[in-house]
Amino acid sequence: MNNKQYDVVSIGDANIDLIVAGSDQLPLPGQEVFVSNMLVHIGGGAALFSMALAKLGLKVAFNGVLGSDYYGQFILDEFSELNIDTTYIRQSQHNNTGISIAINPEHDRSFITYMGSNAEVRMEDLNENSMRYGRHVHMTGYQGSRNHDAYMKMIRKIKSFGTTISFDVGWDDSGEWYSGIFEVMREVDVFFLNELEALHYSGRQDIHQAIQRMSSHASHLVVKMGSRGAVSVHNADRTYRSAYAVTAVDTTGAGDSFNAGYMYGVLTGKTAGECLQYGNACGALSVSAYGGNTGIPHHDGVQEFIRQHAGQIVDDWEVIA
């Protein structure tokens, strides 16, 4: 009997993003600086991925940790508005919900971050039933050698449920760039990273060479290159699609929104080129508004965006220098 209740179960972080817009400077001691606006949105890569996929019409469950506070309830309420199942979210008895203050998101962003309950997202503590009931699981929060063994154990457990896995490696703030990531790449079904991460992990200075090396370990590799588009290599078949030209207001969450669009394509049987188009569309719509998710409309709006911008598409990989 098929017990898959969810299209996707997302594992990872959810927090509050406090966005400080129009800030040209930080206050010196004793000073007060006035800015054009402050906005409160949901942040965290796993949360933004989940919200975008839910808007696209897939059934999503979230597995993570929130504080037992106002902001934790705010996130739960927003998830419920999008019909994201919150059954498997654990409430922390020790930490408040995480908050990240994004300063000057229009240009060179700076962040002040309190990890809060996100620091308690550990593979060994997560409710396994949520993964059992999803036909696909999306994983974030990898920290190299610090949690590699726990991730590998969970990956193998998820696969034993007959569930596919996508994995966004994220930035390595330790600077370790742990070689164990190649073991992860061999095990998961879709592996996401951005251009700079690909260069670091591969030890190459050229993105073509980096993709060549990493795709030899991954059956389905996706590299995000921001305004230069994205490339996927699936079973040695390489596909490239250029990015959509939009005015960027806030780039927070663009990569996670791309992941959601791409996985929507994979899970609904789209071609590689269509998966990249959905990914690029969600990424472009994300950066067009403050907050990592507010710019993304529901399914019909994303499709209309793709239709209206069809003339922008470039599929020639050689345009990437």
Side-chain angles (χ1 to χ4, degrees):
M1 185 174 67
N2 187 350
N3 63 350
K4 302 298 186 183
Q5 301 176 22
Y6 312 108
D7 294 307
V8 177
V9 177
S10 182
I11 302 173
D13 54 336
N15 54 261
I16 293 297
D17 277 352
L18 174 60
I19 299 171
V20 181
S23 173
D24 295 322
Q25 60 180 334
L26 292 176
L28 297 173
Q31 276 190 334
E32 181 177 16
V33 172
F34 292 91
V35 298
S36 60
N37 205 351
M38 291 189 186
L39 308 119
V40 175
H41 294 288
I42 294 177
L48 295 175
F49 173 87
S50 301
M51 295 171 75
L53 263 186
K55 286 184 176 183
L56 289 168
L58 297 190
K59 177 64 175 175
V60 180
F62 190 86
N63 199 329
V65 186
L66 294 173
S68 301
D69 53 18
Y70 170 82
Y71 286 130
Q73 189 59 53
F74 174 77
I75 293 171
L76 289 172
D77 291 344
E78 291 294 305
F79 279 2
S80 295
E81 283 289 317
L82 292 171
N83 295 316
I84 296 172
D85 195 313
T86 60
T87 301
Y88 306 101
I89 295 177
R90 181 165 58 88
Q91 290 196 312
S92 173
Q93 302 304 310
H94 308 287
N95 293 292
N96 291 326
T97 301
I99 300 176
S100 187
I101 303 175
I103 302 168
N104 203 21
E106 306 93 334
H107 305 292
D108 294 326
R109 297 172 297 157
S110 300
F111 295 93
I112 301 172
T113 297
Y114 162 64
M115 284 286 291
S117 54
N118 283 327
E120 299 180 44
V121 180
R122 294 182 290 266
M123 292 298 108
E124 54 269 34
D125 297 335
L126 292 176
N127 187 318
E128 291 182 1
N129 280 333
S130 63
M131 280 74 90
R132 187 188 303 274
Y133 298 140
R135 66 186 182 102
H136 182 82
V137 167
H138 182 70
M139 304 180 75
T140 62
Y142 184 71
Q143 296 177 336
S145 61
R146 290 168 288 177
N147 63 5
H148 176 82
D149 291 343
Y151 266 74
M152 289 306 304
K153 183 178 180 181
M154 181 59 76
I155 286 168
R156 293 180 179 121
K157 173 65 75 172
I158 293 169
K159 292 178 70 174
S160 75
F161 299 149
T163 299
T164 57
I165 303 169
S166 56
F167 192 99
D168 189 301
V169 66
W171 181 256
D172 182 358
D173 57 9
S174 74
E176 178 186 28
W177 304 106
Y178 183 54
S179 61
I181 196 63
F182 294 105
E183 182 182 17
V184 174
M185 293 172 66
R186 289 190 288 269
E187 292 289 336
V188 302
D189 297 278
V190 184
F191 188 90
F192 292 101
L193 75 175
N194 66 33
E195 181 175 3
L196 195 53
E197 292 158 358
L199 294 172
H200 278 291
Y201 274 114
S202 68
R204 303 292 189 266
Q205 295 183 341
D206 175 82
I207 190 58
H208 293 263
Q209 295 175 4
I211 290 172
Q212 182 176 8
R213 184 186 179 200
M214 301 201 80
S215 62
S216 68
H217 295 274
S219 63
H220 194 158
L221 176 75
V222 184
V223 179
K224 299 166 284 187
M225 298 179 289
S227 62
R228 300 202 301 162
V231 62
S232 70
V233 185
H234 187 198
N235 295 329
D237 289 332
R238 187 179 63 200
T239 307
Y240 168 78
R241 290 293 184 272
S242 57
Y244 294 101
V246 295
T247 300
V249 174
D250 177 9
T251 59
T252 304
D256 302 298
S257 299
F258 173 97
N259 294 348
Y262 190 92
M263 286 312 306
Y264 169 80
V266 170
L267 294 169
T268 56
K270 308 296 184 187
T271 66
E274 290 172 325
C275 291
L276 288 168
Q277 286 174 224
Y278 271 96
N280 285 332
C282 287
L285 288 161
S286 172
V287 305
S288 66
Y290 287 112
N293 184 260
T294 54
I296 299 176
H298 287 262
H299 177 268
D300 290 349
V302 175
Q303 281 197 317
E304 178 63 16
F305 176 89
I306 292 172
R307 187 191 66 79
Q308 289 181 355
H309 295 80
Q312 292 185 11
I313 297 297
V314 176
D315 59 10
D316 182 6
W317 168 243
E318 298 305 322
V319 302
I320 301 299

